[in-house]
């Protein structure tokens, strides 16, 4: 297996491609079964996982998404193995393998082995789907294009309906609460299934890219072309309407990339370029009519609403702070990183709590996938991730140099991957598994079309099955079973935690403690929620007055996660009950230093300062809080009373 970057001969390309497809085709008897598998594969990958397995429909949706990815790999593995001899590994495939391998290289030094192992399993499952998708595409390229496009049309329709419904609900909410119309200051309140407005804009951008195929390709019917044009117009308009600067930049790059390669490399250049420019003008014009006229500045917003409700954006400043912190984390672990999924723990250790964020929270990611991957997977993982985008750029340049008919899907897929890379610099789409899945879907299309584009050797030896490829795909397929089992195990833990919390909330701690004693097996080493589970158990013991047992559970939570500030706070409360005020104060301060935005921690710290007669420190704690809560007035009154005495 060699990296096939040979430039195709310009003579008789179409006949060689036809011969390649003929020699690597499927027997007629298996065409029908293969088409069913292809349809199921793309519908689950592009529609079911990103839309239906979200918090709108499923509890514990992240774990269900990981489980479905592995089940999809298991369900289609047989067809992948049957056609694996058609697979010729090229530059993109090798970078996918390198990126996957880097997850496991980081395990020995991972902050949280269980969390890193589970994250590595998820990425391995995506890699398996990538190679299975490549094989299915090569078995029947033309039908795979159709299934790929139809799946994205379905996803586009679903998310367009969801987004318009969300905008309608948001408009009603703003009107009811006397806010201005939807603009850059209020769009952040938009609620959609499991996606923040920046990531929703990126998803709509990917839908826009996929639907361009129906606008530009000469092999589609007039009806599909009209549908593609309509979906491009709506999704493109909403991308701009989301007021996401990263999505705007990615959108501009996507259009520029496709236009450039269309003009230079594609047939009927003038007509297709004019179509693209028309789409751009339609999107910009409709967006101007819907959004730009209603954009309000911060002064207008402050004059119409309660100043306490105004959120002044400091996103750029916060990102620079987070990126600098990411650099500090990387310098400590440059080779293999802190382990997949462990950036949050590393950031707490680094001192993330010193950041006073505009949206009142500690970030779980640095809003930059390149920095996060460098921190979690080290230089090896970063090179593998960057290589995915470099590979697509190289493939586009080869296409640009040689030109070829029927290359629209490759131009669009590679351009979409590069646009995703630009968005990755600012919003961190890697935190959302659906976006990762769509990213890999475009990689499958780009990698498969490039193999077909560059396949010039069709001799018998080239068609022989590759034992190395077969062994690779087979081994990757076997581990999917363990991924499904692990995801199911984590889901069971999550469900049990939710049930215990519900019983405690219903003041049925006796039932909760009985349930806990049945579930001691859940406290195994591969439990990625071990700290949360111990903390939940400790809360139950505390409700029953078993302070010794509760203290043991909270201390166990800290052993699992050293910066679990809720457990530190609870230990402080137990110390206060036991009249150890000095220890309680230190624990409250320690919890507040890790997470200064929790109202319960800050309230207890203020009361502790008041008990010690230190009104100055108590007032300082309240003044440093980035937001107010219901008890703030009461605490200020207590401070005033203490100062009066």
């Amino acid at each position: 297996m060699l990296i096939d970057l040979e430039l195709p001969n310009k003579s008789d390309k179409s006949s060689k491609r036809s011969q390649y497809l003929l020699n690597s085709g499927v027997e007629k008897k298996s065409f029908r079964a293969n088409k069913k598998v292809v349809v199921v594969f793309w519908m689950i990958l592009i529609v079911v996982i990103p839309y239906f397995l979200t918090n709108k429909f499923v509890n514990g949706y992240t774990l269900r998404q990981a489980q479905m990815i592995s089940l999809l790999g298991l369900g289609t593995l047989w067809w992948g193995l049957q056609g694996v001899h058609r697979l010729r590994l090229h530059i993109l495939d090798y970078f996918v393998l390198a990126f996957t391998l880097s997850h496991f290289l980081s395990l020995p030094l991972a902050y949280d082995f269980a969390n890193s192992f589970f994250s590595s399993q998820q990425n391995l499952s995506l890699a398996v789907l990538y190679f299975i998708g490549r094989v299915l595409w090569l078995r029947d390229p033309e039908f795979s294009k159709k299934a790929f496009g139809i799946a994205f049309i379905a996803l586009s329709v679903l998310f367009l309906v969801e987004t318009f419904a969300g905008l309608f609900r948001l408009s009603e909410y703003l009107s009811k609460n006397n806010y201005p119309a939807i603009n850059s200051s209020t769009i952040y309140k938009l609620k959609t299934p499991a996606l923040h407005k920046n990531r929703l804009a990126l998803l709509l951008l990917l839908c826009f890219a996929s639907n361009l195929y129906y606008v530009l390709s000469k092999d589609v019917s007039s009806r599909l072309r009209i549908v593609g044009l309509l979906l491009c117009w709506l999704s493109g308009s909403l991308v701009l309407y989301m007021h996401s600067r990263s999505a705007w930049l990615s959108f501009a790059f996507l259009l520029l990339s496709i236009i450039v390669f269309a003009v230079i490399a594609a047939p009927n250049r003038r007509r297709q370029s004019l179509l693209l420019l028309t789409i751009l003008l339609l999107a910009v014009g409709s967006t101007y009519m819907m959004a730009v006229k209603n954009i309000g500045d911060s002064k207008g917003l402050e004059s119409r609403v309660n100043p306490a409700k105004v959120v002044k954006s400091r996103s750029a400043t916060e990102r620079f702070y987070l990126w600098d912190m990411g650099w500090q984390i990387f310098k400590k672990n440059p080779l293999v990183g802190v382990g997949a999924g462990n950036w949050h723990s590393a950031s707490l250790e680094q001192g993330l709590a010193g950041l006073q964020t505009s949206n009142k929270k500690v970030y779980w990611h640095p809003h930059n996938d390149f920095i996060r991957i460098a921190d979690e997977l080290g230089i090896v993982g970063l090179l593998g991730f960057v290589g995915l985008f470099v590979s697509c750029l190289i493939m586009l340049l080869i296409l640009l140099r040689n030109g070829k008919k029927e290359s629209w899907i490759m131009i669009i897929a590679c351009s979409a991957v590069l646009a995703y890379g630009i968005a990755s610099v600012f919003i961190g789409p890697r935190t959302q598994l659906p976006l990762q899945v769509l990213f890999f879907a475009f990689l499958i299309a780009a990698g498969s079309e490039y193999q077909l584009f560059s396949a010039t050797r069709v001799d018998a030896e080239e068609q022989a099955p590759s034992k190395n490829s077969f062994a690779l795909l087979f081994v990757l397929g076997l581990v999917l079973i363990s991924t499904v089992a692990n995801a199911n195990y984590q889901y069971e833990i999550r469900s049990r935690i939710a049930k215990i919390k519900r019983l405690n909330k219903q003041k049925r701690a006796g039932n909760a403690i009985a349930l806990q004693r049945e579930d001691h097996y859940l406290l195994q080493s591969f439990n990625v929620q071990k700290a949360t589970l111990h903390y939940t158990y400790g809360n139950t013991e505390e409700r029953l007055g078993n302070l010794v047992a509760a203290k043991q559970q909270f201390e166990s939570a800290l052993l699992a996660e050293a910066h679990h500030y809720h457990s530190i706070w609870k230990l402080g409360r137990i110390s206060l009950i036991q009249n150890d005020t000095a220890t309680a104060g230190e624990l409250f301060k320690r919890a507040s230093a890790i997470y200064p935005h929790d109202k319960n921690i800050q309230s207890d710290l203020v009361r502790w300062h008041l008990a010690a007669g230190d009104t100055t420190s108590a007032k300082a704690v309240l003044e440093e809080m980035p937001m107010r809560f219901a008890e703030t007035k009461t605490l200020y009154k207590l401070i005033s009373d203490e100062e009066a005495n």
Side-chain angles (χ1 to χ4, degrees):
M1 295 178 294
L2 300 174
I3 300 179
D4 188 5
L5 290 179
E6 295 181 23
L7 303 180
N9 297 325
K10 292 188 177 181
S11 61
D12 200 17
K13 295 177 184 176
S14 59
S15 62
K16 287 191 173 185
R17 184 172 189 266
S18 300
Q19 186 181 1
Y20 175 81
L21 294 176
L22 180 63
N23 290 352
S24 61
V26 191
E27 294 181 4
K28 293 183 178 180
K29 293 181 180 179
S30 64
F31 268 159
R32 187 173 299 174
N34 184 48
K35 288 182 178 180
K36 290 180 180 178
V37 173
V38 169
V39 170
V40 171
F41 179 86
W42 287 113
M43 291 302 291
I44 291 178
L45 190 68
I46 293 177
V47 180
V48 174
I49 295 175
Y51 183 79
F52 289 103
L53 292 184
T54 62
N55 61 355
K56 181 179 180 181
F57 300 101
V58 180
N59 291 324
Y61 59 95
T62 303
L63 295 172
R64 287 309 190 202
Q65 289 166 357
Q67 197 171 39
M68 179 56 72
I69 289 171
S70 302
L71 288 172
L72 179 59
L74 284 172
T76 55
L77 180 61
W78 172 248
W79 285 269
L81 292 175
Q82 280 186 331
V84 73
H85 61 278
R86 297 175 178 82
L87 195 63
R88 299 292 173 266
L89 298 186
H90 53 68
I91 184 171
L92 179 59
D93 301 328
Y94 285 113
F95 277 116
V96 170
L97 291 173
F99 182 57
T100 303
L101 179 62
S102 66
H103 285 70
F104 293 92
L105 292 177
S106 67
L107 285 177
L109 300 178
Y111 276 36
D112 185 340
F113 180 85
N115 192 28
S116 293
F117 184 76
F118 185 52
S119 297
S120 301
Q121 283 184 311
Q122 291 182 54
N123 194 82
L124 181 56
S125 299
L126 283 172
V128 173
L129 285 186
Y130 168 80
F131 285 105
I132 292 175
R134 290 259 286 107
V135 170
L136 292 177
W137 193 292
L138 295 172
R139 292 184 70 173
D140 196 344
E142 297 306 320
F143 185 77
S144 293
K145 283 184 190 178
K146 294 178 182 178
F148 178 85
I150 294 299
F152 261 108
I153 285 179
L155 182 70
S156 301
V157 171
L158 289 171
F159 266 99
L160 284 172
V161 170
E162 186 69 37
T163 304
F164 278 115
L167 290 172
F168 177 76
R169 291 192 299 268
L170 176 59
S171 180
E172 284 192 329
Y173 168 81
L174 295 175
S175 177
K176 183 179 179 180
N177 291 275
N178 196 32
Y179 281 100
I182 297 175
N183 55 43
S184 57
S185 300
T186 56
I187 191 68
Y188 76 95
K189 293 179 178 292
L190 178 65
K191 303 295 183 183
T192 56
L195 287 174
H196 179 265
K197 59 111 175 173
N198 287 334
R199 298 180 187 90
L200 176 62
L202 177 57
L203 185 142
L204 292 170
L205 174 61
L206 296 178
C207 291
F208 173 87
S210 64
N211 292 318
L212 277 178
Y213 174 73
Y214 291 100
V215 178
L216 300 172
S217 176
K218 66 179 182 179
D219 299 327
V220 299
S221 65
S222 298
R223 291 181 180 179
L224 276 178
R225 197 181 304 279
I226 293 173
V227 170
L229 185 61
L230 178 62
L231 292 176
C232 282
W233 171 49
L234 292 174
S235 56
S237 299
L238 286 177
V239 168
L240 300 179
Y241 192 64
M242 290 294 105
H243 297 280
S244 171
R245 288 162 292 181
S246 58
W248 290 348
L249 184 60
S250 301
F251 192 34
F253 175 84
L254 175 71
L255 286 170
L256 180 63
S257 172
I258 294 177
I259 289 174
V260 167
F261 286 103
V263 169
I264 298 176
N268 302 320
R269 303 166 187 173
R270 185 175 300 174
R271 177 180 65 85
Q272 292 163 341
S273 300
L274 288 175
L275 275 173
L276 275 170
L277 289 173
T278 302
I279 294 169
L280 176 60
L281 290 174
L282 283 171
V284 172
S286 60
T287 303
Y288 175 80
M289 295 300 295
M290 291 189 299
V292 176
K293 291 174 63 177
N294 293 323
I295 292 180
D297 58 9
S298 59
K299 292 182 180 179
L301 179 64
E302 291 179 11
S303 64
R304 294 186 57 182
V305 300
N306 186 339
K309 295 182 179 179
V310 176
V311 177
K312 298 180 180 179
S313 174
R314 299 206 308 268
S315 60
T317 304
E318 292 167 5
R319 279 170 170 78
F320 288 135
Y321 182 96
L322 292 165
W323 295 351
D324 179 67
M325 177 173 295
W327 170 245
Q328 302 303 322
I329 295 173
F330 175 75
K331 288 194 297 185
K332 291 183 178 179
N333 309 273
L335 189 58
V336 294
V338 299
N342 287 333
W343 191 88
H344 180 61
S345 299
S347 66
L348 289 177
E349 182 177 302
Q350 186 67 29
L352 179 59
L355 173 65
Q356 297 291 309
T357 62
S358 63
N359 54 351
K360 326 305 190 279
K361 69 176 183 180
V362 168
Y363 284 107
W364 287 77
H365 59 89
H367 281 266
N368 185 311
D369 278 352
F370 295 94
I371 291 177
R372 178 176 179 177
I373 288 170
D375 292 345
E376 293 185 349
L377 306 179
I379 191 67
V380 178
L382 179 62
L383 291 176
F385 188 63
V386 172
L388 300 178
F389 304 103
V390 173
S391 301
C392 288
L393 181 59
I394 290 174
M395 293 189 294
L396 276 178
L397 292 175
I398 291 175
L399 175 67
L400 178 65
R401 180 175 176 180
N402 295 275
K404 192 168 180 74
K405 294 182 179 180
E406 303 175 350
S407 57
W408 273 117
I409 193 71
M410 181 175 164
I411 292 175
I412 291 171
C414 290
S415 299
V417 169
L418 293 173
Y420 180 98
I422 291 176
S424 297
V425 176
F426 303 102
I427 62 175
R430 182 174 163 79
T431 58
Q432 297 288 338
L433 195 53
L435 289 175
Q436 289 188 63
V437 167
L438 297 180
F439 174 60
F440 270 83
F442 278 105
L443 288 178
I444 292 171
S448 301
E449 284 297 304
Y450 175 73
Q451 179 176 333
L452 296 173
F453 169 77
S454 61
T456 57
R457 298 192 309 170
V458 292
D459 55 296
E461 182 180 355
E462 179 68 3
Q463 293 299 317
S466 170
K467 294 182 180 179
N468 291 336
S469 298
F470 183 89
L472 172 66
L473 200 60
F474 183 71
V475 170
L476 291 177
L478 287 178
V479 300
L480 291 173
I481 298 174
S482 65
T483 306
V484 173
N486 197 359
N488 189 64
Y489 171 65
Q490 304 302 335
Y491 183 81
E492 183 182 356
I493 294 171
R494 183 193 179 281
S495 301
R496 195 53 56 95
I497 290 174
K499 187 172 183 179
I500 292 173
K501 286 182 177 179
R502 186 167 60 252
L503 289 172
N504 283 330
K505 189 175 182 180
Q506 296 171 352
K507 298 182 179 180
R508 297 166 59 189
N511 299 81
I513 199 68
L515 191 62
Q516 290 177 190
R517 287 167 182 166
E518 295 175 1
D519 295 343
H520 58 84
Y521 69 94
L522 295 177
L523 296 171
Q524 297 175 8
S525 58
F526 281 93
N527 178 1
V528 300
Q529 306 165 84
K530 187 181 291 186
T532 304
L533 192 61
H534 277 297
Y535 173 73
T536 306
Y537 285 4
N539 280 336
T540 305
E541 299 286 2
E542 183 187 27
R543 284 177 176 272
L544 293 174
N546 303 328
L547 296 184
V548 176
K551 186 175 181 180
Q552 290 176 348
Q553 293 291 351
F554 295 138
E555 289 173 345
S556 297
L558 291 178
L559 289 176
E561 185 180 327
H563 301 284
H564 196 269
Y565 49 87
H566 280 124
S567 294
I568 297 172
W569 164 61
K570 284 289 188 175
L571 287 172
R573 279 197 157 190
I574 291 175
S575 297
L576 202 60
I577 293 172
Q578 295 174 339
N579 296 320
D580 189 353
T581 55
T583 302
E586 292 300 318
L587 290 169
F588 289 151
K589 291 177 183 178
R590 181 181 162 193
S592 177
I594 295 173
Y595 190 57
H597 313 317
D598 187 282
K599 63 181 182 180
N600 294 317
I601 296 174
Q602 300 304 92
S603 177
D604 281 351
L605 182 57
V606 168
R607 293 177 184 277
W608 180 82
H609 281 305
L610 288 176
D614 188 355
T615 57
T616 303
S617 297
K619 189 181 295 185
V621 171
L622 283 179
E623 290 175 350
E624 290 175 3
M625 281 287 289
M627 64 181 294
R628 294 172 178 267
F629 49 92
E631 202 177 357
T632 302
K633 291 183 179 180
T634 302
L635 293 174
Y636 270 116
K637 187 176 184 307
L638 290 175
I639 293 173
S640 299
D641 293 343
E642 183 68 25
E643 288 176 338
N645 294 331

